[in-house]
Structures are given as C-alpha cells and as structure tokens.
Amino acid sequence: MVSILGISAFYHDSAACLVVDGEIVAAAQEERFTRVKHDHNFPLNAARYCLSEAKLTVDELDYVGFYDKPLLKFDRLLETYLDYAPAGFSSFLKALPLWMKEKLWMPDLIRTELAKAGGEEDERAAKKLGKKFQWKLLFGDHHESHAASAFYPSPFEEAAILTIDGVGEWATSSMGIGKGNELILLKELRFPDSLGLLYSAFTFYTGFKVNSGEYKVMGLAPYGEPKYVPIIKDKLLEVRDDGSLKMNHKYFSYAHGLRMTNGAFDKLFGGAPRKPESSITQKEMDLARSIQAITEEVMLKMTKYAYKETGMKKLSMAGGVALNCVANGRILREVPFEEIWIQPAAGDAGGALGIALAIWHRYLAKPRLSPEAAGTWRSARAENKGRKSNVESNGDYQAAKKDLTAYADGMKGSYLGPQYSEAEIESFLQSRQVPYEKYSRVELPAMVAELLAAGKIIGLHQGRMEFGPRALGGRSIIGDPRSPEMQSAMNLKIKYRESFRPFAPSVLREKVAEWFELDADSPYMLLVADVAKSQRRTITAAEEARWGIDKLNVKRSEIPAVTHVDYSARIQTVRRETNPLYWEIIEAFRKKTGCPVVVNTSFNVRGEPIVCTPEDSYRCFMRTEMDFLVLETCLLDKKAQPEFREEKNWRSEFTLD
Ligand SMILES: [Fe+2]
C-alpha cells in the first residue's frame, strides 16, 4: 500500500488530500476546520482529518507532496521587484521577512508541522532531533499540480489540459495533453501577463475582495452593458489568436505594488475604485460585464487553440479561472470539444489533490487505473447499471471505460470530507438538549419535499462534506425555486449578502434537458446554461425596459429563484448514484410539484466558511432565519428550538468577503 499526502498552503485556501494506491481517499480545506475563510496556514487540521479517514499515522505515509516550488516563486518575486526597482522595493521589503522565515525553509516547516499531526511527542522529537520521517517529501510545479488535478481524476483516457489562474511560480496559464498516466505541458503564459490577475484587478476596482469576490463580479455582469470592452482592448491589453495576452503594465501595480491597479487605471475608468460595501452603481455593472466579456473571449480563444494544437476530443481544466462557469458554458457550446470536465476544487486547494496524484502517476509511474483505483469507478458504475462489473475480474481500464458516463470520474462527487454518523449527531443533539424528530431514511425525502413546497428554507447536512468552493447537497441550504420571493429572502435573511447575487439550481440529471438548455452532466456546478425556452415566461415591454438591479424584480421563468437576469443558471446535475439522499429529496419534490429543481446555496452566512460539523450546522441554523435543519435523518424545526444565546455578536466573527 502506498499512501501520499498532498498539501497546498501559505498562499490562499490551504488544503490536504490523501491518495492511497491511486484512490482519492479524503480531501478538505483547512478553512472548514479553523472557521477562517480561505485560511492560508499550514493545513494541520485537514491533514489530521485525511489521515484519520484512512486510519493512518503520519509515520505510515510514504510520500508527502507540496503543490508548488517556493524557491522558484521567490525567484519570480525577486526578479520582478528588481525589474521595477525602486517602485517595487517597499513591497519587496514587506514580503521578504515572511519568505525568509517560512517559505524558503519549507521542507523543515512541513516536517515540523506534520509532526504535530502525530501528537505533541512527535513535535518535540522533530524539533529536538530533526526527526526524519520515513516519507519522502516532493515539491511539484504549481501549474503541473493544477494540470494533474484537472486530468487524472477526469473521466477521460486522453484529453487536452488547460490551466488558468492568477500566478504560480512564473506560469499564469498552461496548455498540455494528458494520456493514460502521462501528462505533458506544451505551452505557458508567464507572469505578469495573466488572465486571472486581470480579472482580479477589476474585482479590486469594482470594490470586491481579490481572490474571493471574483464570483460576485461574474454574478454582477448580466446587469451591465459591455461598454468598456473597446477601452480595455485599446489601452489595457492585446489578445492574440491563441488566447495569450500582452498586458499594458502601465495600468497595473500588482507586479511591484501592494494593490492591483494604479492611478493611471483610475484615470482611465473615471475615478477611484469603489469602496467596499458602498452602493453598487451602473458603472460597476458595466465594468463587470466588460471584463467578463473579455474573459470569455480569451478563454474561447485559448480552448479553440488547444483543440487545434492537441487534436484531442476532450478537455479538462483547472486553476481559479476555470471556476468561471459562464465562460465554461460557452466553451461547451462553442468549442468543438465533445466533452469538458473541470476539477471542482479548481483553485489552489485542488493543488493538494493534483500533487498527490502526480506523485502516484508520474513520479511512481503507476497506471491511470490500477485495479485498486478502478474500485472507485467500479462502485459508481455498478450502482449505476445495477449489474456486475467485469472490471472486478480483470481490472481492465478499456473494459470499464465502455460503461463510464461523464459523472463517473475519480472524485466521488467531490464528497471527500468528514461525515458524521447518526449516532454522533444524536449524541450531539441530546447533549445540547436540542429538540428534533427522527425519520426513517425512506420517509425523510417526502417530508423534506413537503416542507420545501410549503416555502420553507432548509439547511441540509448529510453525508461527506464537499471538497472545493461549491456546496453540492452535502452542506447546502435548499429552497423552492418556483417562489419569486425566494432569491431575496435567501440573500437577505439567510446569507446576509448582496441582493443581486443569483442562486443556483440542483436538478435531477434525468430532467436537466427539459428545464435547461443543457444535456450533459454538470455535477460540480461549473457550467452555466440558459433556462429552457419552454420554462420561460413572456415578459412585458415595461419589464423588459427595466435597468440595472431593477431587472431582478422580473419573474422570468417557472423557476425565478434560480433564473438570472439574462435567463442563465449555474447548474448542478444530481445523480442518484453519487448522492442518493439529495437525489431522492429532489425526486420527492418533483413528484409533489412537477418541478425537478431545488435552489441550492452553500450552508454558511456571508464571510463564513461552509459548515463542517453538526455543531457548525446547528449554530448557522440558529443564527439565521432558516426554518428547518436536516442532520442526516434528524429534522429540527426552528419553532421548537430553545432560545439561542451567544456571548458576542456573531457578525463580528467573520470578515465580510
Ligand atoms: Fe493556482
């Protein structure tokens, strides 16, 4: 047995992932345990959890992989600062102590930190004796880690690979080919030219937080007009036919400064950046729409080029920009790739998974589907088809492949985090004297569906926690999408976030084509498509003429709560094989109402990491105006709950994102 722990840390969204004999056994982001959103510290809690899932100790690991190369990153910082000296000197001085103290000493740091996962005694031993664990420590290249996370768990035997993010060591985007267990990167775009950093610059300028507010810019875009596209193309960048960029760095300061844009940028767009939390005007909406249009153009060019250059029929993607699901939907519709698959933890957290799989397939040269690893696929397939798999006897990848459907990837639906047993949940509820009703697994879906149909908003905590930024029915808040009031109710009373933000639908895979202009799996909510014409409502000329945020108040379809102002929806398709209880709840809702769709938003409030434990879920339930909470098969009614008292105002606990 070979066990590999992958780690990403010290930049944004730290995570750990455990791969045992090629199978992804567990993966989680550190933020879910520490309750600090995008926690960038060493993922000690996540590593501990991953080890416990496989009942391993730190000493029993064979390899530990870190997702990028700190020395190369330092090299980039140093060179960039020198290039821009003296302008870059102050930020260089600011960054230097951290690099000297932590990042350059990474091997020691990782050993010492991981020793803590083995208990205090180990930590002391590691410090005192420079304890040598038996495992080997390997460092990957940032974009190779993204590429490995994009390709190895994908359902494709061979595919083109595209990674796009802000920046790793030097690369900001890379293109390559994956075939069996081989992965080659053919081309890269280098810092400071970066689609991710360009998007982040506009995220900053429109008053949102860099590295987390990008989603809001994408959500805001449909309210605006692309009126800044000409000026962006004229002044800020050149987009080449292969999708590579040449940016005019006169307008940006991220290469040498501590902010994204500068005075020249402000002048170009008529003023200073919007102050966070101040009101959003038409200008921000138009800027959002414009940068989104540019991003889609670049991503379409990149993927068309990858299609031509690689000759591959499938595409797999990762890197933070691959979370731009509006662009992904267009790639699926407009680029001739037959299928696309996107790593659900596309950001840097997914690097932990990428490096672990890269060690297994590239460093150890293990085949893509060993008989053991095929187990993951086999079980999904066997459940799906309800017949005995022939893989079991011969472990043959080709034989398995015939029956694979797009969902049958190596990610287990991305349900890779902690799960809490019925017994653990009941003992938690009883210890707190929390009133609840216990249902049988068979009764529960119909009960939840009835509550949904009655307009109730429900917290759903069941099964393993999701890996990656989206909640997929394991830690979700769900509601009735047919209700015109649901969107603002959920935004304002439950999530305490901006009212313009759209909600996403979870739909039965079997019914997706009847309700949306999509007939493919989108298990990770990473594809956007329009609501089907047959489900749309004819709107009046007066409704059509509404402007900006006011567009929100128009009922555009039978499922207004998940229909964005441009009729688009960020779709999650649900299969029974991957998440049985969630599928059954939606199916029960369909039987009751005829609608195979529910609203699905992550189980958290604004600024809070998604809930992990039953305690996190109960706390979030009590702090908000959610009506019911499902903890596995226990159902909690808000009205029956005792008063929930907290010493301090919880809203001060989370920094707004
Ligand atoms: Fe990255």
Side-chain angles (χ1 to χ4, degrees), residues 11 67 142-143 146 164-168 319-320 346-349:
Y11 175 58
Y67 85 128
H142 190 102
H143 274 257
H146 277 317
I164 319 169
D165 70 357
V167 61
D348 282 357

Side-chain angles (χ1 to χ4, degrees), residues 370-430:
S370 67
E372 293 89 340
T376 328
W377 302 46
R378 190 174 58 226
S379 55
R381 189 175 70 103
E383 279 169 39
N384 182 28
K385 301 287 176 187
R387 60 171 187 259
K388 196 171 157 39
S389 157
N390 56 359
V391 191
E392 212 155 346
S393 50
N394 59 17
D396 178 1
Y397 176 54
Q398 287 304 331
K401 202 175 157 282
K402 282 186 202 134
D403 277 346
L404 288 179
T405 44
Y407 82 95
D409 56 33
M411 290 295 295
K412 300 179 176 173
S414 216
Y415 305 110
L416 295 166
Q419 174 165 17
Y420 300 86
S421 68
E422 301 269 346
E424 282 172 297
I425 285 168
E426 287 200 72
S427 111
F428 160 72
L429 294 174
Q430 284 159 11

Side-chain angles (χ1 to χ4, degrees), residues 4 6-8 17 19 24 65-67 140-153 183 318 343 345 347-362 411 467:
I4 307 166
I7 284 169
S8 69
C17 169
V19 167
I24 305 166
F66 191 77
Y67 85 128
D141 174 276
H142 190 102
H143 274 257
E144 279 178 14
S145 296
H146 277 317
S149 79
F151 176 64
Y152 289 130
L183 186 159
Q343 164 58 239
D348 282 357
L353 189 145
I355 181 64
L357 289 175
I359 291 173
W360 176 252
H361 293 299
R362 297 189 79 192
M411 290 295 295
F467 181 50

Side-chain angles (χ1 to χ4, degrees), residues 289-308:
R289 176 74 184 272
S290 305
I291 194 58
Q292 178 62 28
I294 298 272
T295 302
E296 289 168 26
E297 180 188 332
V298 172
M299 286 178 78
L300 285 170
K301 281 187 169 163
M302 279 180 173
T303 45
K304 279 179 186 158
Y305 179 74
Y307 181 77
K308 211 171 73 202

Side-chain angles (χ1 to χ4, degrees), residues 116-373:
K116 292 181 197 166
E120 226 180 300
E121 207 173 313
D122 277 357
E123 187 189 357
R124 247 181 281 130
K127 272 188 189 153
K128 224 160 51 190
L129 308 168
K131 173 175 174 171
K132 291 272 178 279
F133 287 106
Q134 62 151 347
W135 38 262
K136 193 168 181 165
L137 179 61
L138 298 167
F139 288 82
D141 174 276
H142 190 102
H143 274 257
E144 279 178 14
S145 296
H146 277 317
S149 79
F151 176 64
Y152 289 130
S154 80
F156 309 141
E157 193 186 354
E158 56 174 39
I161 303 170
L162 197 63
T163 65
I164 319 169
D165 70 357
V167 61
E169 293 90 0
W170 279 100
T172 61
S173 172
S174 67
M175 184 195 84
I177 294 178
K179 233 180 203 177
N181 68 348
E182 296 198 23
L183 186 159
I184 315 159
L185 294 182
L186 305 164
K187 231 182 149 169
E188 65 179 30
L189 182 66
R190 296 195 126 208
F191 184 84
D193 295 316
S194 162
L195 183 60
L197 291 173
L198 175 71
Y199 207 93
S200 293
F202 279 84
T203 302
F204 169 80
Y205 187 73
T206 48
F208 300 108
K209 234 183 188 170
V210 169
N211 278 336
S212 74
E214 284 75 6
Y215 239 83
K216 300 184 188 179
V217 175
M218 192 180 74
L220 193 60
Y223 295 99
E225 298 299 322
K227 60 185 269 197
Y228 294 103
V229 168
I231 196 167
I232 294 173
K233 283 191 169 175
D234 187 38
K235 301 283 186 194
L236 296 189
L237 66 142
E238 179 197 339
V239 184
R240 303 190 191 98
D241 284 344
D242 62 0
S244 65
L245 299 176
K246 181 87 203 102
M247 290 166 67
N248 184 350
H249 292 282
K250 199 179 117 191
Y251 294 97
F252 302 92
S253 49
Y254 60 73
H256 59 278
L258 297 169
R259 43 178 272 184
M260 299 298 294
T261 57
N262 58 20
F265 192 101
D266 296 357
K267 212 167 149 197
L268 192 63
F269 293 104
R274 180 180 76 94
K275 280 202 176 69
E277 306 310 313
S278 65
S279 64
I280 295 169
T281 67
Q282 193 62 41
K283 179 184 167 189
E284 281 78 36
M285 298 177 201
D286 294 340
L287 281 165
R289 176 74 184 272
S290 305
I291 194 58
Q292 178 62 28
I294 298 272
T295 302
E296 289 168 26
E297 180 188 332
V298 172
M299 286 178 78
L300 285 170
K301 281 187 169 163
M302 279 180 173
T303 45
K304 279 179 186 158
Y305 179 74
Y307 181 77
K308 211 171 73 202
E309 280 296 294
T310 62
M312 291 285 140
K313 300 276 176 276
K314 321 272 167 125
L315 170 70
S316 60
M317 292 202 289
V321 181
L323 293 170
N324 195 306
C325 39
V326 177
N328 297 343
R330 284 193 65 188
I331 292 167
L332 184 66
R333 290 189 295 275
E334 296 173 38
V335 184
F337 284 113
E338 288 167 6
E339 281 176 70
I340 69 174
W341 188 88
I342 302 140
Q343 164 58 239
D348 282 357
L353 189 145
I355 181 64
L357 289 175
I359 291 173
W360 176 252
H361 293 299
R362 297 189 79 192
Y363 185 80
L364 299 171
K366 298 287 186 186
R368 182 78 177 296
L369 265 189
S370 67
E372 293 89 340

